[in-house]
Amino acid sequence: QVQLVESGGGLVQAGGSLRVSCAASGSIFSIDTMGWYRQAPGQQRELVAAIRSGGSTNYADSVKGRFTISRDNAKNTVYLQMNALKPEDTAVYYCNAFILGVGGYGRDYWGKGTLVTVSS
């Protein structure tokens, strides 16, 4: 089966940096768009950044200029470099990817999430 596993979350002070990673594994034929979503307490889940297989990216206005999404196709991994972190960035960050599994239909997959806490 296909799964996404996030890593790199933790506690960081405001103004600091953190890099979260998400590795896809399993019977993967190809991966299209990969992205990061986040959900803060009492808030709806929102798209933070996305990157297509060709490299084009999209960012939420709130993180533009501070966050950078990238991917390593050889490792089936997507990264989110978060700089100049603010307390309002505190959330559970979820990895998402559209994956075509070997011998299966393509669909979205979700990781279990990694908690990022930014202290003031």
Side-chain angles (χ1 to χ4, degrees), residues 14-46:
S17 298
L18 203 64
R19 188 195 198 196
V20 290
S21 303
C22 172
S25 63
S27 299
I28 298 169
F29 182 77
S30 64
I31 303 177
D32 191 3
T33 303
M34 304 185 82
W36 289 94
Y37 291 72
R38 68 186 181 188
Q39 188 166 23
Q43 301 284 93
Q44 294 184 330
R45 187 173 299 188
E46 64 174 349

Side-chain angles (χ1 to χ4, degrees), residues 89-108:
D89 293 318
T90 295
V92 176
Y93 284 71
Y94 296 92
C95 178
N96 170 265
F98 187 88
I99 299 174
L100 179 61
V102 175
Y105 186 77
R107 70 170 181 87
D108 276 341

Side-chain angles (χ1 to χ4, degrees), residues 8-12 18 20 82 85 89-93 114-118:
L11 175 65
V12 64
L18 203 64
V20 290
M82 300 179 285
L85 283 161
D89 293 318
T90 295
V92 176
Y93 284 71
T114 185
L115 177 63
V116 173
T117 303
V118 184

